[in-house]
Amino acid sequence: MQYRHLGKTGIQVSELSFGSWVTFHNQVDVKPAVDMMAAAYEHGVNFFDNAEVYASGKSEEVMGKALKELKWRRSSYLVSTKIYWGLHDNVNEKDTLNRKRLIEGINGSLERLQLDYVDLLYCHRPDKTTPIEETVWAMHNIIEWGKALYWGTSEWAASEIVEAIHIAEKHHLHKPVVEQPQYNMFERKRLEGDYVRFYKEYGYGTTTWSPLASGLLSGKYKDGIPSDSRASLKNYSWLKKHMTDKSKLDKVNALEPIAKDLGCTLSQLALAWCLKNPFVSTVITGASRVEQVHENMKASEVKLTQEVMDKIDVIFEIKKEEEED
Ligand code: NDP
């Protein structure tokens, strides 16, 4: 496993990490969570991602119990959580980054995770109604109290991130240091577009999500929806449309000969493709069983040449822009 700096912070994250969205509580309980996290850790993973909204807090509970069982030294791994949607359908408690919610939110997450602090705390989405200054101050205070060590954003617009950084600089507060955007062969625009200036100008890190587009890029949906897959879950039926989209499946099928030539699986190819981007600090993987973890972690060994990257761009109909001076 290789480790990359989280942007220009001093902290290093394994280039492949492990997250619990959809899977923890909905698909797996504590024992398989322990097995998957142990497998990931043995492969060198040092970063585990979560969010308060995942399974309405139950995902954090499962991870907390798993960490208790695993008994790893706290300094040997990083845990993150994310706040925005909230757990209660009530005014001031949902879809917000107000001060009260953030502070109550982190306290609840730490209780469920059975931790004294998280390493990274994200604002899971931007809040268009709370002044960014209020959010920046609350995140700064949470860090000063030792409840989180670094903070970041997830799917914020470029202008919102710049505003948060400038407010923090003006008041000498802890700045956001990392963005968590979606990044895979189908969804590359933001990470390869708007955000590029953050890596260059501010040294912003990125922890990217859904590298397999929820499993589509593994090739498992080419003959329909497997009964044991994410898209067959009751609460995720909205994914079915995406998993049976013919033009997407054609692209996945077209990747097969490339993976075959490289001697890797489609999942490993899709993960190695994400890793090729130097602005990615870590690719957060997901898995519903331990075999997937073992398969995915070997993606670090797959090296993609520019020729292979170009072939993939052709499949995904990416037009090359003129090189700038
Ligand atoms: P992926 O796109 O990699 O999808 C993971 C799912 O694909 C697995 O749960 C499994 O589903 C299937 N899969 C994984 N590996 C294989 C394999 N080798 N062969 C076949 N199927 C496989 O990642 P996620 O969408 O889970 O996202 C990763 C993490 O990113 C999340 O856990 C979360 O921490 C974070 N995230 C953050 C978001 C944000 O807004 N900030 C949003 C979403 C995710 P199954 O077996 O059930 O089909």
Side-chain angles (χ1 to χ4, degrees):
M1 181 68 71
Q2 302 285 315
Y3 297 84
R4 300 184 182 187
H5 274 273
L6 186 67
K8 67 171 184 193
T9 70
I11 209 83
Q12 292 187 48
V13 279
S14 48
E15 62 180 12
L16 293 170
S17 45
F18 186 77
S20 65
W21 180 52
V22 183
T23 52
F24 282 22
H25 180 73
N26 293 318
Q27 286 174 289
V28 305
D29 211 337
V30 181
K31 169 77 176 80
V34 166
D35 293 344
M36 289 194 288
M37 288 173 69
Y41 190 78
E42 278 157 26
H43 282 282
V45 166
N46 74 348
F47 169 44
F48 297 88
D49 185 63
N50 214 318
E52 72 166 12
V53 74
Y54 295 169
S56 306
K58 296 272 191 281
S59 174
E60 290 178 326
E61 283 177 16
V62 170
M63 192 175 276
K65 287 179 189 162
L67 286 169
K68 264 257 149 3
E69 264 187 49
L70 286 159
K71 295 192 176 75
W72 297 329
R73 214 164 35 78
R74 182 65 184 88
S75 308
S76 69
Y77 64 91
L78 306 153
V79 173
S80 67
T81 195
K82 308 188 271 293
I83 301 176
Y84 170 71
W85 281 285
L87 297 175
H88 299 279
D89 191 11
N90 189 23
V91 66
N92 294 326
E93 291 188 79
K94 64 170 194 157
D95 304 351
T96 180
L97 298 173
N98 72 56
R99 180 176 178 82
K100 176 173 165 66
R101 179 78 259 288
L102 289 172
I103 291 166
E104 290 173 354
I106 185 63
N107 289 339
S109 288
L110 292 178
E111 212 175 299
R112 287 186 293 275
L113 287 163
Q114 304 185 53
L115 295 175
D116 297 329
Y117 63 91
V118 289
D119 300 274
L120 308 178
L121 178 63
Y122 295 88
C123 295
H124 209 158
R125 288 294 180 270
D127 171 3
K128 308 286 179 196
T129 62
T130 299
I132 291 184
E133 184 160 352
E134 177 172 335
T135 298
V136 173
W137 269 104
M139 296 304 269
H140 168 79
N141 290 143
I142 287 169
I143 290 181
E144 287 289 290
W145 297 330
K147 296 184 181 201
L149 306 186
Y150 298 89
W151 77 276
T153 53
S154 180
E155 300 288 349
W156 280 33
S159 58
E160 292 160 333
I161 298 174
V162 170
E163 192 179 337
I165 291 173
H166 286 171
I167 290 167
E169 280 176 345
K170 184 172 155 200
H171 299 287
H172 303 288
L173 307 177
H174 291 285
K175 291 185 237 185
V177 295
V178 59
E179 161 65 28
Q180 189 168 131
Q182 184 173 185
Y183 188 52
N184 58 54
M185 290 179 191
F186 289 109
E187 287 292 335
R188 48 171 99 182
K189 212 168 159 203
R190 215 166 197 186
L191 193 129
E192 292 180 2
D194 293 3
Y195 289 158
V196 170
R197 60 181 285 214
F198 297 123
Y199 326 129
K200 292 189 174 160
E201 283 177 37
Y202 300 103
Y204 221 59
T206 56
T207 59
T208 63
W209 59 268
S210 284
L212 301 183
S214 271
L216 178 60
L217 285 161
S218 73
K220 72 197 295 177
Y221 291 96
K222 66 179 179 183
D223 299 319
I225 296 181
S227 58
D228 58 353
S229 66
R230 177 178 292 185
S232 70
L233 296 174
K234 210 168 125 227
N235 293 340
Y236 293 86
S237 53
W238 52 272
L239 275 174
K240 281 189 179 147
K241 203 172 132 229
H242 166 64
M243 302 307 196
T244 51
D245 181 319
K246 186 172 175 319
S247 81
K248 287 185 174 167
L249 288 170
D250 286 347
K251 290 182 173 64
V252 177
N253 288 336
L255 292 170
E256 268 185 359
I258 300 181
K260 203 168 165 218
D261 278 355
L262 290 164
C264 68
T265 66
L266 279 174
S267 299
Q268 290 164 345
L269 174 63
L271 295 168
W273 179 89
C274 297
L275 287 174
K276 186 84 180 165
N277 189 321
F279 296 128
V280 169
S281 314
T282 181
V283 175
I284 313 176
T285 65
S288 65
R289 57 209 79 164
V290 78
E291 299 75 31
Q292 292 174 350
V293 178
H294 289 303
E295 178 183 337
N296 296 346
M297 292 303 142
K298 291 196 190 107
S300 286
E301 294 161 22
V302 179
K303 300 295 170 219
L304 305 184
T305 60
Q306 192 51 50
E307 194 193 341
V308 168
M309 294 300 277
D310 290 344
K311 277 191 197 165
I312 294 172
D313 280 353
V314 171
I315 293 170
F316 284 82
E317 296 160 33
I318 303 298
K319 289 197 188 74
K320 277 239 174 310
E321 292 195 3
E322 292 292 321
E323 289 282 319
E324 284 177 32
D325 290 339

